[in-house]
Amino acid sequence: MEYKFREIEKKWQQHWSQTGAYKVSNESSKPKFYVLDMFPYPSGAGLHVGHPLGYIASDIFSRFKRLKGYNVLHPMGYDAFGLPAEQYAIEHGVHPAVSTDANIANFRKQLDNIGFCFDWDRQVKTSDPQYYKWTQWIFLQLFNSFFNRKTQKAEPISNLIASFEQEGSAAHGYRVTTGFSAEEWKAFDEATKQSILMDYRLAYCGYGEVNWCEALGTVLANDEVVNGVSERGGHPVVKKKLRQWYLRITEYADRLLEGLERIEFSDSMKEMQTNWIGKSSGAEIDFEVKSEKGTVKTLRVYTTRPDTIFGVDFMVVAPELDIVEDMKSAEQATAVDEYLAYVKSRSERERMAEKKISGVFTGAYAINPFNGQEIPIWISEYVLAGYGTGAIMAVPCGDERDHKFARHFNIPITNIIGKYYDGEEANATKDALLENSDFLNGMLMRDAIEVVINKLEEKGIGIRKTNYKMRDAAFSRQRYWGEPFPVQWKNGTAYPLSETELPLLLPEVESYSPGPEGEGPLANIPEWVAKELETNTMPGYAGSSWYFLRYMDPQNNEEFCSRKASDYWGQVDLYIGGTEHAVGHLLYSRMWTKVLFDLGYIGHDEPYKKLVNQGMIQGSSRFVYRIAGTTNQFVSAGQKAGYDVQPIHVDVNIVDGYELDIEAFKKWRNGEYADAEFVFEDGTFSASCSLGNQELKYICGSEVEKMSKSKFNTVNPDDLVNKYGADTFRMYEMFLGPVEISKPWDTKGIEGVHRFLKKLWRLFYDDVKGQLWKEEKANDAELKVLHKCIKKIEDDTERFSFNTAVSTFMIAVNELSDLKCSKKEILEQLLIMLTPYAPHVSEELWGLLGNSGSILDASFPKFEEKYVKESAKAYPVAINGKTRTEITLALDITQQEVEAIVLKDEVVLKWLDGKQPKKVIYVKNKMINLVV
RNA sequence: GCCCCGGUGGUGGAAUUGGUAGACACGCAGGACUUAAAAUCCUGUGACCCGCAACGGUCGUAACGGUUCAACUCCGUUCCGGGGCACCA
């Protein structure tokens, strides 16, 4: 009886599906455990071997927890709105819903192949009106709420209105420039009231810049802009101001920081979020401005280092700030205008990454409030409008970028830190005693910070200020394939639809092309525009900011999720996904959770208790080298130095290792290269790989890159499942290395895992002899192998070290084979442990052993120390840290006894060479080291 | 540019808290079984040195430096690769 994995896997997948083996109930006496995978976008390219990595890990963990007696929720669904489907619709005229559903069907088939334990009854799809109805509903909650800084939480906007009606802006005046009394508030007209309220709403409307491509008549995603031009067509892209929706996530900055202390994310992930939020404390300082036009009176800068106020040699203002226009002198006008035009063509990313120093003097000066010195005001792209006040005071001796700027433009540098500044490089120290600093002279910099802030506040020219790098999240897209906003405009004021009008269905359109003036496709629908409905749609992250809640109660038509369900499942206990979501999805969903918590809809304010990051599986691309100027002549990697060549991606599936399959290459891409000729690795030129009886080899070049269809380096899991089975595939993905590490995919090696499963099978059945397993009492050696394995599998699984768990199984099977152990007592326990990793073969053998129930509901074996207890250990003995020999000692031995034994050892004596050791280090259960 | 992560044999990786570097696999080489192939099994496999061999020695975890009785592990500097940087998801 042999291991027929195809039959076995198909059989059990059907069986589990028919018996509802993965159905999860919201009622259970068992403790709950919620395992979640990051929401996949169902792309048209289908799954490649990189995608299931995290799903397999979470699947193993879910099944492991189930064996450990938990009620485990492990759902899956689709983040179905998104740009690619819309682009496909524009190009092929296929409705995004249609192509998305086709992609989902394909996705599902591929997932099913691998044997996951998802409860498919809980599947959600963000583009389903039954789902986005609740996304819109949550938007209404955001729109109808404000962040009360006094209570530090979201509250209904009606509380704010009540406060305005009673005491004017006294309690919550932080967003209005001029305060108002209760009477004044009541006297405001509707539009004014709404405009003030808009400044408080958690979802609000404002203006922001987008990538505008005139030639394509559309707004482009950052992704679609390459080197300042559109990816499609290479047209120029400039920034354009458009009305946009935003989420006021900045109000949650402190709570997002605080929450990090209560959740298990990796330190690096917490660091990334902390840096993104970018909390800093310092001061805002107003500088008097002296300019030709004289219209601008003051320049407000934000600095974290007010102590360096006497080291300010110039100011830098973000070029897009309005005040630049007023500050430029007649003499500098042309230079400034030219620079502004240049900056307009630059993306924020390019500006930040630019090493080349650029900037222009405006012609205006700022006055140092303490010593009256005139400071030139420059503009430069390295200062961004969105951070702080969009203007900085530059201190070259203390800041590297300022220093380079000063050097480049020959701006004299004032040294306020004495010997700490060497004239060559800036020094950001806070430990220097200040010099050239007027009333601060001789003061330690870190102490001077407070002194200066107090003085600024005293003189009324500055305030203490906490700043955040994080900005409010842009929440609208000028696209079709997203959730419509439940918002109606009346005379320029936005009003929410009522809950009873939800879902506001995404209307059908004739064309998916953009609307006029950068508006989305919805602006092309007369009825939509006539009703003054919002023409923007929500961004991709809207639906994914709360999907983990919907899984708890997916069919609920009354609520987004009942409080009972969310109280039962609570936080996601384990969330597995990539670091690429570090500062996007993971922050947005944390914010939404906090808002829903504040408003009382759920009982916890952090969505994820523990996050495990999965590494990215990269592709190992293969290249052929086309000789420049030819269409069909290729040179092998070893010979390419002698030619001028163009590397061309070639499908990794027609390359064996590095050797190109010449025949397959000629058939590839519908015979595009059918007439190809080659310079082979040995230098022979031929159109065929056999010359007489000589075999010619064409060797490909290689590079590790992102796995992507366009690079022809994708490997389809279906092919591997078909060839080796799902169990082998699952285990091999885990065996590749730690889940959290990125690594290139290499199919070589999967044989080893497949062999392991065959070897496991042979402990039970032999092709010739038939049944091997027997009901016999296990001996000590066998029990030791089993319990060593139980301990390690349990530990490794618990700490997500699935690769070492797989090797532990291999070791156990190797050892049991060596012991010729086929005893049911041992094998049965081994199978239960293997179930999370290789469920199909485990279930099959479990049944063959005569068990009636499903192995999915078995209990994880219990580790017993007594079977693995050792009384002695072979200690490595090192002289000066270098291992020289090994001595076996009892475990309960004392330091004195160790010394006595070790100093009598022949090898040790040889190395001591008559000398007395200075010290004998004995670490129990580890090693012995003699210091000479 | 800024933030985060990684770099160990020919390859993927192991070494969980600073304590025997290379577990487990792949590949390769040799052998057994077989008419043959597949499958399976056995042996060897970091580099270098001495040697007939057993054995023994030196080096070795990207590079350099440091801390320590002891460093893949901690600290500093540099190089290389990957992810993110606010409209890909």
Side-chain angles (χ1 to χ4, degrees), chain A residues 623-626 640 645-649 703:
Chain A
F623 297 90
V624 290
Y625 299 97
R626 182 162 63 195
K640 78 175 193 317
V645 295
Q646 282 171 308
I648 295 172
H649 277 97
E703 210 171 292

Side-chain angles (χ1 to χ4, degrees), chain A residues 397-683:
Chain A
C397 73
D399 182 279
E400 199 45 51
R401 273 223 273 202
D402 297 347
H403 192 262
K404 287 197 173 119
F405 195 88
R407 277 295 183 80
H408 188 260
F409 290 109
N410 285 317
I411 301 169
I413 295 169
T414 309
N415 181 14
I416 53 167
I417 52 176
K419 64 179 192 314
Y420 281 85
Y421 175 56
D422 61 6
E424 289 304 314
E425 257 178 58
N427 186 340
T429 183
K430 285 181 187 171
D431 299 326
L433 296 178
L434 284 159
E435 295 178 16
N436 293 325
S437 291
D438 202 285
F439 66 95
L440 299 173
N441 279 336
M443 199 179 288
L444 189 64
M445 296 180 94
R446 58 177 83 249
D447 298 336
I449 295 176
E450 276 301 301
V451 174
V452 173
I453 294 177
N454 290 335
K455 195 105 175 180
L456 288 168
E457 293 197 320
E458 199 181 295
K459 294 182 79 169
I461 48 171
I463 54 161
R464 182 185 307 277
K465 177 91 185 186
T466 299
N467 232 338
Y468 300 91
K469 212 179 280 169
M470 181 169 66
R471 310 197 286 258
D472 280 339
F475 194 66
S476 49
R477 302 291 182 259
Q478 293 69 48
R479 301 284 175 185
Y480 172 71
W481 192 229
E483 300 87 347
F485 282 87
V487 165
Q488 200 163 12
W489 290 86
K490 285 174 202 156
N491 305 320
T493 298
Y495 288 93
L497 297 187
S498 80
E499 288 180 19
T500 55
E501 292 172 90
L502 302 183
L504 173 62
L505 294 174
L506 186 61
E508 296 294 319
V509 285
E510 275 170 32
S511 138
Y512 303 97
S513 306
E517 289 306 308
E519 282 192 85
L522 296 186
N524 290 331
I525 306 174
E527 309 88 82
W528 194 269
V529 175
K531 280 190 226 154
E532 291 197 272
L533 289 165
E534 172 62 56
T535 59
N536 281 311
T537 52
M538 296 188 203
Y541 66 84
S544 63
S545 290
W546 72 281
Y547 73 110
F548 43 89
L549 292 166
R550 190 65 182 170
Y551 282 141
M552 299 172 179
D553 198 4
Q555 267 97 41
N556 195 329
N557 287 324
E558 309 301 317
E559 293 170 275
F560 72 103
C561 173
S562 74
R563 184 66 196 258
K564 193 173 167 222
S566 63
D567 279 349
Y568 174 68
W569 289 109
Q571 285 176 297
V572 172
D573 293 284
L574 173 65
Y575 196 23
I576 295 188
T579 49
E580 65 270 26
H581 298 286
V583 292
H585 161 65
L586 286 170
L587 276 175
Y588 302 135
S589 53
R590 289 183 60 214
M591 179 212 170
W592 285 43
T593 302
K594 286 178 189 302
V595 174
L596 291 171
F597 169 78
D598 288 351
L599 298 176
Y601 294 114
I602 54 175
H604 54 278
D605 79 331
E606 281 292 343
Y608 321 112
K609 191 167 169 195
K610 183 180 175 73
L611 172 73
V612 169
N613 291 119
Q614 100 214 30
M616 185 172 278
I617 298 229
Q618 294 144 334
S620 184
S621 306
R622 292 293 180 270
F623 297 90
V624 290
Y625 299 97
R626 182 162 63 195
I627 300 170
T630 73
T631 50
N632 253 338
Q633 291 184 10
F634 300 88
V635 55
S636 186
Q639 294 284 333
K640 78 175 193 317
Y643 299 85
D644 182 12
V645 295
Q646 282 171 308
I648 295 172
H649 277 97
V650 62
D651 192 335
V652 291
N653 297 297
I654 59 168
V655 180
D656 179 20
Y658 296 95
E659 194 186 337
L660 183 68
D661 181 337
I662 295 294
E663 290 314 309
F665 180 66
K666 289 185 168 188
K667 285 182 202 135
W668 189 48
R669 312 200 81 180
N670 294 324
E672 189 179 333
Y673 302 112
D675 304 325
E677 297 173 299
F678 307 89
V679 177
F680 287 94
E681 193 65 11
D682 64 354

Side-chain angles (χ1 to χ4, degrees), chain A residues 10-26:
Chain A
K10 207 166 169 192
K11 174 172 106 191
W12 288 108
Q13 281 174 9
Q14 275 173 5
H15 178 83
W16 290 325
S17 165
Q18 281 159 10
T19 54
Y22 301 132
K23 227 176 136 24
V24 182
S25 165
N26 279 8

